[in-house]
Amino acid sequence: MKAITHVSTVFSIVLTTITIQISMANAGTYPKAPGTSKDSAPATQPTTQAAVTVKIENFAFMPKELDVAVGTTVTWQNADDVPHTATSKDDPQVFDSGPLDTDDKFSFTFSKPGKYNYYCKVHPHMTGVVVVK
């Protein structure tokens, strides 16, 4: 009986060691949580993508606030069953999508830094902002 207990203990140690080695080997292949690596970009750094999509859904712009780099094209896509617009609040107006029906898209390329507040003309409570850096 003592020999079986000894074998069982050794087997358990071997399995634990293998599991730890596999976990350590795979640790570099999984995405890191934000802010856990020195090479992670700060949360306030603008998006460097050339194109970003804002989804219009459930009477809201998602994301509501967006930081982008100069030269980024933002595309608004209406996923609601009712028309919406993406219209700048600037005077003079910088962009206006006009009515977007379901699945319609509107794109605008931001060529100058600044804060661009916008809203839906049909539903003025719907607001968003694009910050261009």
Side-chain angles (χ1 to χ4, degrees), residues 20-36:
I20 291 170
Q21 288 177 345
I22 291 171
S23 295
M24 291 174 65
N26 288 335
T29 62
Y30 293 103
K32 292 183 174 95
T36 59

Side-chain angles (χ1 to χ4, degrees), residues 61-107:
F61 296 106
M62 294 187 282
K64 182 175 181 156
E65 296 182 20
L66 187 62
D67 288 349
V68 298
V70 171
T72 300
T73 299
V74 175
T75 300
W76 288 264
Q77 181 174 8
N78 185 7
D80 275 343
D81 291 334
V82 298
H84 293 292
T85 73
T87 305
S88 85
K89 290 185 175 182
D90 297 309
D91 188 20
Q93 219 171 47
V94 178
F95 58 89
D96 183 8
S97 66
L100 299 172
D101 285 326
T102 304
D103 295 327
D104 282 352
K105 295 178 183 179
F106 166 74
S107 296

